[in-house]
Structure formats: C-alpha cells, structure tokens
Amino acid sequence: MEENGGSPTYELQELLPQRSRAYLVAAPKDYFLGPVFAATKQNGPREVTIGNRSYTIGGFHPIKRNLSPPALDVRHARAIFSLLSFRDPFDDDGTRLIRFSFNEFCRRYANSNGGRYARAIKDILGDLTDAYIRITNVTTGISHSYRLIERVDIEDRPIRKNNSHLATSNQSEMWFNGCTLSPEFSGLLNRITELQHLKLNVFTSIRSTLAQAIYLYIPSRAYHHTASNPFEINATKLLEQVSFPVPFHKSVRKRVFTMHEKEGHSVLQQLDHLETLSGHFRVALVETEDKSDWKLQSWLEKSPSASKPLNGSSKLVAAYLKSGRSQEHLNQALSNIHPLTDYETEMLETAQVEIGKHRRFFEMAKAILTNTRFAGLLAEAKGASLEGLVATKNPTARLIHRIMESISAPIQNTRK
C-alpha cells in the first residue's frame, strides 16, 4: 500500500517467514554503484550517470519514438535479481535461456505465490520484456540500447481443476516456463570483473521500496567508512537521487525515514544492521550543521571473516607462491573474495564435501583460480561422487588436494 505524506511504499510483500536458503546473485556492478533503480514508479525515462557511463532507465523506445514503454524502478530490479538467482553462472552453451517455476519465482521475489502477488509480478516481468536501457559513453557520446529480457516462454493449457466452473469454459491456464535474456544483457553477465554480488534473501526482506533503493547503492559508498567517520548525504539529495518525492518541510523529510518507528519497521530500522557481503550496513539520521536539513550517515561494520588478515604461511598461500606467481598478484586475487554461490554449494553437497569449516578455504581458492577452473574442479568432485569412486581418505580431502595441485602448478602449465 502507499500511504499519504510521502511515506514509504510497501508492495508485493507478504509477512511470511524468510526461506532459509540464501541466494547469491551476480549482477552488473553499476547497479550497485549508483541510484539506477528508482524508489517509486516512474512515468518516463530517468537518467543516472555512473563514472563514464550515463544510463537511461526505461520509458523510451530506440526506434518507435512515439511509443512510451514502461519505465523501470526498484520493483523491476527485484524481479531482475530474482530471475538471475535461477541462472547457472557456468552455463556457456549460448542459449541465454533461464528455466524456472513461476511459483518459485514468486516465492523468491515476494515470499509468496498468492494470486494477487502472482498477477502483479507477471505485470512486472511484462515490463522487463518491453522496456529498454540505454548506456551512453559520456566521453564519446555513443549510445547502445538493449532490453533485459528478449522473450518469455509461456504455454496456454486447458484448465485442470475439475471442480472449477472455468474447466467447462474456453479459458486456459498460463504456464510460465522461463525466459531468454537478451544477447546484450547476457554479455554483461559474462564479464566477471564487471559484476557484483547481492544476497537476495536480505534484499527481499526489506519492505519499503525506499529502503530497497537505498540499500542497493549506499553500501558501496559506506564501504570504507566507520562509525567515527561515516559517509554522509543530505536527506533532500538522497531522496532526489532515488526519485522519491521530496517533502518541502524538514520535519516531513525526517518523517519519511522515521515513520512506523514504534512498530519497528521505519526505513532506518529496516536498513540498520542489514547484512552485506562483507559485514553489516549501519545507518543513522542526524541534523545538518546549519539545521536546515537532515542527513543520512552510513558505515559498514566489517565481519570478522572479511577483516581477518591472511596467514602468509598458510598452505594455500604457500602453494600459490610456489607456482612462481608474485605476492602482489596473490593480494589482488584475494581482494576480490566472494561467497560461494548456490550452484557451487549444491555441487559441493552432491560431492559429499564438508563445507562448514572449509568455506573460507573454498572462497579463497575460488578467488585465486578462474571461475571456470574452480567450477571444473567442483564438477570433477561431483562426478566422482555420483560414479561412486571411493576417495583414499574422504571426498573433502580429495577435493582440497586437487585444488592445491591446481594452485601450485607452475605458471606455464596453467596458462591457456
């Protein structure tokens, strides 16, 4: 619902318990470096500049200029991330097809597959098939326009419910089998260095669309800040950036962030302590020095594993240096550690590999090896388990041994 007075909007959210599964989604890095997706519904194209790239987010057609396709907002971002949670990151057959159950898609999007939620989500997916994104190089002025979804795979089938009055009518059920990404968007997702990860279950736990829009990009600004030196942004500027209506009065601007505080779910309360890949997002609202406005302060409390110094004498580090590579290259690789994806976790579980106490090792190995090589080793371990090949010690030790062999192999033997 949308309340009066510029309050946060709550949409497509049912108060059901979060599913225990945490889906890790890889998406274009720019989606998290700027306010790409608006906090409220948009009536026309919206432009955001990130570095040397200017984005036009929906609301235009590159050929039929008299058409006004849907403009995109944070609801569509949520659908994109839910969609990408089904994508196999190592599927390189070029089909660009993502298959999934629509019921499961609704659950990942809204923790519900109820009828009214499903209808709204179908409309949002329809917007994604019609809308375009334009990326313009600020230096050259050259633009490229593309859609995110090229087509959806839908079947119409006879009504199955015998007790339904519709079963005797000419109507049919719509079965949603999946969708095909556009070549341009698929190409972006294959550029590993241009991607950033998002914990989907954390993002979908946020009820307010304003809080969702803030969570998508402010943590990247707060990453290097602490409680004693927070990142600061005026409330007016922040609301403008995420295209949320800016109240004229300072007191009402504050109310945007603090409304529903007694119930425990104000925008500030929804954002504070939220988990990120490297720690917990912290926020506070304070007055500006001239008392003319409020400002949002934010910083990141790093998790112990993210701030834990690397042990230079560890076997993994020693194996890497033994291969002839430099400490500098090792530091560069380990500065880009990401959690295991659901796909990787599923392969490890199928391979009967113990993940718990070895998770940090696997994440470091993944950062050092290429994604393709790491996935190949996991696939070998999975295949060995399915074929019933008995390990000398156990499946976990066998995989760790293979990873160490790959990391310590001389440089000339690992280049392709």
Side-chain angles (χ1 to χ4, degrees), residues 17 51 55 126 140 149 154 170 196 257 259 269 275 285 298 316 341 358 360 404:
Y55 285 80
T140 65
I149 298 177
I154 297 175
N170 293 326
Q196 183 167 316
F257 295 91
M259 184 183 297
Q269 290 168 322
E275 186 181 3
L285 195 69
S298 60
L316 184 146
T341 65
H358 301 294
R360 181 67 173 172
M404 294 295 288

Side-chain angles (χ1 to χ4, degrees), residues 40-315:
T40 57
K41 295 180 181 180
Q42 302 296 295
N43 296 321
R46 178 170 167 273
E47 294 189 2
V48 176
T49 299
I50 303 170
N52 195 44
R53 291 187 281 254
S54 176
Y55 285 80
T56 304
I57 317 299
F60 74 95
H61 195 289
I63 299 176
K64 300 177 180 179
R65 302 303 174 95
N66 58 324
L67 293 182
S68 297
L72 304 182
D73 55 62
V74 75
R75 296 170 304 137
H76 301 93
R78 187 166 172 160
I80 292 167
F81 299 142
S82 299
L83 170 65
L84 294 180
S85 71
F86 293 96
R87 182 174 179 262
D88 179 354
F90 304 110
D91 183 8
D92 56 358
D93 62 3
T95 62
R96 296 177 280 111
L97 176 64
I98 302 178
R99 293 193 177 279
F100 51 85
S101 156
F102 186 68
N103 280 346
E104 180 60 23
F105 181 89
C106 292
R107 287 196 177 277
R108 294 193 191 184
Y109 182 104
N111 302 312
S112 169
N113 61 351
R116 71 186 183 93
Y117 293 99
R119 288 190 292 274
I121 292 170
K122 285 176 184 177
D123 290 340
I124 291 171
L125 281 172
D127 290 346
L128 290 176
T129 63
D130 295 332
Y132 286 82
I133 290 180
R134 178 189 295 127
I135 303 179
T136 303
N137 184 298
V138 175
T139 303
T140 65
I142 298 175
S143 299
H144 295 279
S145 300
Y146 65 90
R147 290 185 298 168
L148 298 173
I149 298 177
E150 185 174 271
R151 68 182 183 87
V152 294
D153 181 7
I154 297 175
E155 295 180 14
D156 289 326
R157 299 186 181 185
I159 296 292
R160 294 173 299 166
K161 297 179 181 179
N162 294 328
N163 61 344
S164 172
H165 71 280
L166 295 176
T168 58
S169 71
N170 293 326
Q171 297 187 38
S172 60
E173 290 182 304
M174 186 179 77
W175 283 54
F176 194 104
N177 297 324
C179 69
T180 300
L181 301 180
S182 71
E184 296 82 2
F185 188 49
S186 180
L188 288 177
L189 297 173
N190 289 329
R191 299 175 190 170
I192 302 300
T193 59
E194 291 292 320
L195 300 180
Q196 183 167 316
H197 290 81
L198 173 78
K199 290 187 175 181
L200 181 64
N201 65 316
V202 175
F203 180 61
T204 56
S205 71
I206 307 172
R207 298 174 59 191
S208 161
T209 55
L210 172 58
Q212 289 172 23
I214 293 173
Y215 179 75
L216 282 184
Y217 95 102
I218 290 295
S220 66
R221 308 290 182 90
Y223 181 80
H224 294 292
H225 291 265
T226 62
S228 59
N229 180 34
F231 170 76
E232 298 182 335
I233 182 171
N234 280 14
T236 297
K237 182 178 180 181
L238 175 59
L239 295 176
E240 288 174 346
Q241 286 186 342
V242 297
S243 296
F244 191 91
V246 181
F248 179 78
H249 295 288
K250 171 188 167 184
S251 59
V252 183
R253 291 197 291 276
K254 178 184 178 182
R255 189 165 175 262
V256 168
F257 295 91
T258 60
M259 184 183 297
H260 304 298
E261 193 171 50
K262 291 183 179 179
E263 295 88 343
H265 52 79
S266 68
V267 167
L268 287 178
Q269 290 168 322
Q270 291 182 57
L271 290 172
D272 197 29
H273 287 287
L274 273 183
E275 186 181 3
T276 69
L277 292 180
S278 53
H280 288 83
F281 185 50
R282 300 301 311 277
V283 294
L285 195 69
V286 300
E287 278 188 297
T288 57
E289 293 183 3
D290 62 6
K291 308 295 184 181
S292 65
D293 201 356
W294 294 88
K295 58 184 176 182
L296 183 75
Q297 294 183 332
S298 60
W299 64 96
L300 214 62
E301 287 183 349
K302 302 293 179 64
S303 63
S305 60
S307 57
K308 182 180 179 181
L310 298 173
N311 183 355
S313 62
S314 72
K315 293 181 179 180

